[in-house]
Amino acid sequence: MKISIERAALLKAMAQAQSVVERRNTIPILANVLIEAEGDSVSFRATDLDIEVVERAPAQVERAGATTVSAVMLHEIARKLPDGALVSLTADAVAGRLTVQAGRSHFNLATLPREDFPVMASSEYTANFSANAGTLKRLFEKSKFAISTEETRYYLNGVFMHVATGEDGPVLRCVATDGHRLARIDAPLPAGAEDMPGVIVPRKTVGELRKLLDDDEAQIAVSVSETKIRFATPHITLTSKVIDGTFPDYARVIPMGNSRRLEVDAAEFAKAVDRVATVSSERARAVKLSLDEDRLVLSVNAPDAGAAEEELAVAYGDERLEIGFNAKYLLEIASQVDRENAVFLFNSSGDPTLMREGNDTSAVYVVMPMRV
């Protein structure tokens, strides 16, 4: 195999590949990227056995062929080469080496045979549809903060993507929860997604998917089966196994009867929470919200460190209420608001609180209170 490729194209492809590769693995081939050259393009394939990413890039192919080489090392080399360099990759299968040349730089890297590289088995997808990158980005970006990191409840270690019934008919919905907070985001249902099985997309896949969704206007081809999900653009295909488990009935924890309504500027609220939380010794400390007519007092009392309070002018017309929350959870939820105002709906100091943007019900967040 002998190819020449632009440094920028190589770097972009390798950035995606090396982030999929697991740093600590016991199978040497999984640290490698499979490079396959034919025609006028080259593909870079990386996997950790749960996720597989294939990126295609234009290249001058002098001799078609394939090899595998350390993904992290090739990425580091590409990163350190000068801008605009033309990189030549030459594989010698007999010697088991890949020569990387750019200008006066010359590298000789160890390779492993391409036959050893595990390629994810192709599967039949029950639903195939096309979705706007901006729509998918919103669904996953706004829900991923609530993904659980507890390995024991593995079925919460991802985003539950499924077809649901919204206020105006069927929607494509993403839900994530860790038991303390929940995010439920809706988008119009794309054509062809009606028969999609509900799947739990793993946390790592959600993180990798972010790189495919940079261009908001791009169309992403989405394919879903009971065991796998695939996202594809003309240049990149990301295939992932889904979490084998049943997502809990989240509708039961979304409060519907909360009537005490607080409206507050989301950015001001987040800054104020951040300021008063400074004195709490650890981030899990509760911030107390004291609500009275059109005023909100945020306070933290940490006996070993001190106390802080801040008052905000808000829109609130119900009876007095004191309620405590984890400061980190409040900050994460407030940072999801794109518009100016966040609307919090309370019931009592011991019940879950609902948050949304203005009257928009396509993004709903729930957070459990703490005792203060």
Side-chain angles (χ1 to χ4, degrees), residues 133-347:
T135 303
L136 287 175
K137 186 162 128 191
R138 176 178 171 273
L139 283 170
F140 286 106
E141 285 292 301
K142 283 185 171 295
S143 56
K144 72 179 185 187
F145 76 92
I147 296 175
S148 173
T149 51
E150 249 183 85
E151 297 302 327
T152 48
R153 299 163 79 189
Y154 64 93
Y155 48 85
L156 297 182
N157 294 162
V159 172
F160 182 40
M161 179 176 165
H162 59 297
V163 178
T165 306
E167 288 189 347
D168 303 319
V171 292
L172 182 60
R173 175 174 289 174
C174 280
V175 179
T177 182
D178 64 359
H180 303 290
R181 61 256 166 96
L182 176 145
R184 189 197 79 191
I185 317 296
D186 291 350
L189 188 68
E194 298 81 12
D195 300 328
M196 182 187 106
V199 289
I200 306 171
V201 184
R203 186 193 315 114
K204 183 174 175 181
T205 308
V206 173
E208 291 302 323
L209 181 60
R210 176 77 188 78
K211 298 172 188 135
L212 269 74
L213 307 176
D214 281 342
D215 176 9
D216 281 359
E217 297 309 309
Q219 287 298 309
I220 309 287
V222 185
S223 306
V224 187
S225 75
E226 296 281 355
T227 56
K228 289 202 186 97
I229 187 162
R230 187 178 71 196
F231 300 92
T233 71
H235 306 294
I236 308 178
T237 304
L238 176 71
T239 311
S240 169
K241 292 179 181 173
V242 298
I243 293 173
D244 181 15
T246 306
F247 201 79
D249 178 10
Y250 60 87
R252 290 187 305 122
V253 299
I254 299 177
M256 288 304 171
N258 287 10
S259 57
R260 298 177 177 183
R261 186 177 195 276
L262 159 72
E263 189 162 341
V264 59
D265 181 300
E268 289 301 317
F269 176 72
K271 285 177 193 160
V273 170
D274 199 20
R275 280 192 289 268
V276 297
T278 312
V279 300
S280 61
S281 47
E282 64 267 15
R283 295 299 275 173
R285 276 297 171 86
V287 171
K288 184 159 88 172
L289 279 65
S290 305
L291 286 156
D292 219 331
E293 194 163 329
D294 289 346
R295 70 190 273 267
L296 163 66
V297 177
L298 297 164
S299 59
V300 168
N301 194 354
D304 48 349
E309 73 169 45
E310 182 162 339
E311 189 175 318
L312 288 175
V314 296
Y316 181 78
D318 292 288
E319 59 204 70
R320 254 186 83 77
L321 175 69
E322 289 194 345
I323 188 167
F325 293 104
N326 179 317
K328 178 171 168 274
Y329 296 167
L330 275 188
L331 282 172
E332 285 181 336
I333 283 185
S335 67
Q336 302 305 319
V337 177
D338 298 327
R339 303 202 184 103
E340 284 180 18
N341 286 358
V343 171
F344 287 87
L345 295 165
F346 304 98
N347 186 29

